[in-house]
Amino acid sequence: MSARSKARRRAMDILFEAEQRSVSPLEALQARREKTDTVINGYSVEIIEGVMAHGTQIDEFLGTYSQGWTLDRMPAVDRMILRVGTWELLYNEDVPDTVAVSEAVQLATMLSTDESPTFINGLLGRLQQLKPTLLA
C-alpha cells in the first residue's frame, strides 16, 4: 500500500471516528495525536482539512447524485470514503481523477459491504463526468 493510500485510509478513519463521537474532525485528529504514537501523514491532514472546508458542497453533490440513497441511509464508512474521494476528485488537482475514484473503490473493497465498491465507483464516476459543470 502506497504512502498516499495509507494517508487516505487514516484520514477516512479519523473522519469516521469524529462523526461517530460527534466531535469535529480536528478534535479527533488532535486526540489521535495525543493518545497514540501513530504518525499522521501530512496528506491525511490535508484531506481532513479539505473535506471540512468543502464539506457542505461535497455532501450536497453526494446527496444530489446518489440515486435512491440519502446521505443518512448510506453506511457511515461509505459516506466517509465518498467524502474523501469527492474531495480528491473535485478539489485536489494533484490527484488524477481516475486515481481518486480507484482509491475510493479500493477502500470500499477493504472496509465496507460487497455492494459498496460498485456504488462508490458509480457515484464518483458520475461526479467525474459532471466535474466541469459542478465547479463552474
Side-chain angles (χ1 to χ4, degrees):
M1 187 181 276
S2 74
R4 279 231 164 158
S5 294
K6 290 177 186 174
R8 285 179 189 93
R9 167 83 188 257
R10 177 108 35 215
M12 201 276 314
D13 288 345
I14 291 169
L15 290 165
F16 179 84
E17 178 185 334
E19 184 174 278
Q20 295 303 304
R21 292 180 47 223
S22 298
V23 299
S24 83
L26 292 179
E27 288 177 74
L29 175 63
Q30 188 64 30
R32 182 78 61 103
R33 283 182 167 152
E34 291 172 357
K35 296 177 182 166
T36 69
D37 57 358
T38 304
V39 175
I40 311 279
N41 181 304
Y43 189 58
S44 295
V45 176
E46 185 179 344
I47 292 169
I48 292 165
E49 290 173 345
V51 169
M52 288 177 56
H54 300 283
T56 302
Q57 194 168 35
I58 288 170
D59 284 356
E60 182 180 312
F61 292 149
L62 293 174
T64 299
Y65 296 103
S66 62
Q67 297 176 344
W69 287 87
T70 62
L71 280 173
D72 293 341
R73 280 191 60 218
M74 290 177 196
V77 171
D78 291 3
R79 197 168 43 246
M80 293 314 132
I81 293 169
L82 282 164
R83 286 174 176 158
V84 170
T86 301
W87 176 77
E88 282 195 311
L89 180 66
L90 299 180
Y91 302 103
N92 186 349
E93 295 178 9
D94 293 339
V95 176
D97 292 355
T98 54
V99 172
V101 174
S102 175
E103 288 285 330
V105 169
Q106 186 63 35
L107 277 173
T109 300
M110 291 185 329
L111 301 173
S112 197
T113 68
D114 290 343
E115 296 81 24
S116 294
T118 303
F119 174 71
I120 286 171
N121 186 56
L123 181 50
L124 290 179
R126 180 74 176 128
L127 294 178
Q128 182 180 358
Q129 291 174 334
L130 297 170
K131 182 177 177 177
T133 58
L134 292 176
L135 299 177

